[in-house]
Every structure is written in structure tokens, then in C-alpha cells.
Amino acid sequence: MKISLNDLTLHVELVGAGPPLLLLHGFTGNGQTWQPLVPALAAHHTLVMIDLIGHGQSDAPDDPARYAIEQCVADVLALLDQLSFTRVDLCGYSMGGRIGLLLAAGAPERVGRLVLIGASPGLADPVERAVRLVSDEALAERIEREGLEWFVEYWAAQPIFASQQRLPAPVRAAQRMQRLAGSARGYANALRGMSVGRQPSLWAALPAIATPTLLITGAFDEKFCAIGAQMAALMPQARHVIVPDAGHAAQIEQPEMVGGLISDFLAEATD
């Protein structure tokens, strides 16, 4: 379905039955990213699968400022209001995890339980953020110059996704089709507005985030395993689980295991 809010139209799919579980995909993904987890999650939850701004079938405005991560959080909250969901459980992957963490920090009353897959609170060092912003802008300009198909191939070849080369060809093809469903303009502007270089650092805010949180990282993703351990040590109600034989996108590489972890964690709310 299409939902209009804040001068933006977002594509949203609702699947399943039960309390709402908001699913936020990563950069270059869309709501279909979560299909491998639907069998495990839809039996007990209404899955709210959004195509975030600039992705999938949602609008991709020309103005880069419209993609600011804080504005994206406001859009998600407006969407929940339109769907009459006052409180949701939330699962976010990578970029979607950063958005989810920002939402939980700013509107904790709206989030029951939080699952973050391969996500971080941003970059604490302002110099590192400034360097990242420069490289992000250079990549955004190249996406606009070289086009969508070039970027999809370039992005899939990044070292962080190397373990996905072991996946069956149909799974890799589905990943490629999801990325091709976006646009060069949308991805370039999303990079400008929602990248880890643009995101405000939330490291100092973590001790105040009391939302029950499950942090999931793939064992091959050593950088994010270290980040997950650091986050779990700072957040009062967080725990970190490392998924074996998986990289950055553990939900794609080990969907049954990750689906089970999420289902069990969400079920704890009713124990």
C-alpha cells in the first residue's frame, strides 16, 4: 500500500497477525529484504515492512536535505500514527538499525522491544565523521554520474558483503533485484542524509536507552561484532548474540537462526 505523510509517499506492506513489528531495511534494500524472516515472524506479529525514503517503491525526492536521518525518524513516527500503532517492537538492519536506535532514543515510549542487526550508534570521533562525510559525498556524486546498474554491482562487491558470495544463486539474484528496484538519485541522496557519517553519534546516549534490546551480528563481521559487544556493555537492557557462519547481513545468510532468535526475544515480553 501507499501512505502519504509529510509531503512524502511511502510504500508499506503489512503481513501477518498480532502485535506490530516494524522492520527497517538497510541501505539499498527495501521491505522485501525481510522476506526470509516472514515465516518465522508473521505467525505472531503484524509485520510492518517499509520502503524507506529513496528506496524501493517509495518516493525519492530531489532535495538531499529531505533525506536527513532525523527527518526519516519523523516520517516513521508519522507512519505509525497513520496506522494507529502507538507502540511497536522494532527490528532494524544496518542503516535501518541506526534509524531504529535513534527512534528508541528519542521516542522510547513508542518502542517495546528493539532488535538491531549489524548496526552501530554512529561514529564518536568528529574527525572520523568529517572524513566519512567527504567519502560519502564523493560516492553519491559517482552514483549520480555512473548510474544505478554500475552502483548495484559496485555495492555488492564491497568487502563487508564478501560472505554472501557463498549464498545460493537465487538468493543473490533476489538481492540484486531489490537493489535495482531503487534509483540512482534515491541512493545518492540517502547516502548524503542517512549514512554513518551524517548520523549523530549516539554512543553517549546508550546508557540511558532502557529499551530491552537484542544486538545481532554475524561472526564473519568482526568490526560489528566488536561494536555489538561495546553497545551491550553500555546499554542497561541489551544483550549481544553472534550468529555463526554469517557476515554483515545475518538475516539473509542465516534466516532460520536469526528468525528464531528474534521470535524468542519478542516472546519474552509476554512471559
Side-chain angles (χ1 to χ4, degrees), residues 23 48 79 94 194 269:
L23 298 169
V48 185
L79 174 68
S94 198
M194 295 186 285

Side-chain angles (χ1 to χ4, degrees), residues 5 10 35 47 70 82 92 103 113 121 148 150 154 189 204 263 269:
L5 49 90
L10 295 179
Q35 284 300 321
L47 307 183
E70 297 86 354
Q82 287 213 26
L103 194 158
R113 286 184 166 249
L148 178 62
W150 169 83
Y154 168 87
N189 283 338
S263 294

Side-chain angles (χ1 to χ4, degrees), residues 4 12 60 93 123 180 182 216 258:
S4 296
V12 183
Y93 160 63
L123 300 172
L180 287 170
I216 297 175
V258 171

Side-chain angles (χ1 to χ4, degrees), residues 206-266:
L206 293 183
I209 299 177
T211 306
T213 302
L214 177 64
L215 305 165
I216 297 175
T217 54
F220 299 146
D221 192 7
E222 295 180 2
K223 174 182 175 180
F224 279 85
C225 284
I227 291 172
Q230 291 174 309
M231 292 176 68
L234 291 170
M235 299 175 73
Q237 293 200 64
R239 67 176 180 264
H240 177 212
V241 176
I242 297 175
V243 175
D245 205 30
H248 189 59
Q251 78 282 4
I252 293 172
E253 298 179 53
Q254 295 292 344
E256 291 185 7
M257 187 179 301
V258 171
L261 286 170
I262 296 172
S263 294
D264 292 346
F265 174 69
L266 298 180

